[in-house]
């Protein structure tokens, strides 16, 4: 049995791709403020994809690490878009009298519970 001295040599190390973990965490935290917490769900998935990017890079699967990083970035940006849309909707509701309608519905429920 012949030993190949080049077999155990490390392959060319590529630079670690940006996994966008910070972006994913920020999207998750801000996602708690979105309507129905959709941004929160997408942010959690983005964190998982970011983590997978790092672990895939550490195992030597560079192409899969880049793909996971791109998916994490895309999910985080979609979460930010949803957060922005929900904040605009909330601001619009507040400006057009949404608080009064919410308060009125709360008071009706409270009064019916008192009876």
């Amino acid at each position: 049995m012949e030993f190949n001295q080049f077999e155990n040599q490390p392959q060319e190390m590529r630079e670690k791709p940006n996994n966008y973990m910070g972006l994913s965490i920020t999207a998750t935290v801000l996602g708690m403020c979105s309507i129905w917490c959709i941004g929160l769900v997408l942010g959690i998935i983005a964190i998982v994809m970011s983590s997978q990017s790092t672990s895939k890079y550490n195992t030597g699967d560079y192409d899969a690490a880049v793909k996971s990083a791109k998916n994490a970035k895309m999910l985080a940006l979609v979460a930010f878009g949803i957060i922005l849309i929900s904040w605009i909707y909330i601001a619009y509701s507040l400006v057009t009298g949404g608080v009064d309608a919410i308060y009125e519905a709360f008071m009706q429920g409270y009064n019916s519970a008192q009876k």
Side-chain angles (χ1 to χ4, degrees):
M1 180 172 198
E2 214 173 84
F3 178 72
N4 185 353
Q5 67 181 9
F6 299 108
E7 188 174 299
N8 293 328
Q9 294 292 326
Q11 296 178 353
E12 178 184 332
M13 291 299 292
R14 297 182 190 173
E15 186 175 331
K16 181 180 176 185
N18 185 356
N19 63 3
Y20 301 102
M21 183 64 80
L23 184 69
S24 301
I25 291 172
T26 305
T28 304
V29 171
L30 292 178
M32 289 187 277
C33 302
S34 67
I35 298 174
W36 304 299
C37 295
I38 296 172
L40 175 67
V41 173
L42 291 176
I44 290 171
I45 296 171
I47 288 174
V48 170
M49 298 301 283
S50 296
S51 176
Q52 284 181 355
S53 173
T54 302
S55 63
K56 288 177 182 179
Y57 175 78
N58 290 337
T59 59
D61 194 358
Y62 182 78
D63 294 331
V66 170
K67 185 176 179 182
S68 291
K70 285 181 181 179
N71 289 340
K73 180 182 177 183
M74 182 60 67
L75 286 170
L77 292 177
V78 168
F80 276 120
I82 290 172
I83 292 164
L84 181 65
I85 290 170
S86 66
W87 285 356
I88 291 171
Y89 174 75
I90 290 169
Y92 175 76
S93 295
L94 291 175
V95 169
T96 59
V99 174
D100 291 336
I102 293 170
Y103 178 73
E104 191 174 313
F106 174 77
M107 290 307 294
Q108 285 177 353
Y110 179 77
N111 289 335
S112 67
Q114 292 293 325
K115 293 180 182 178

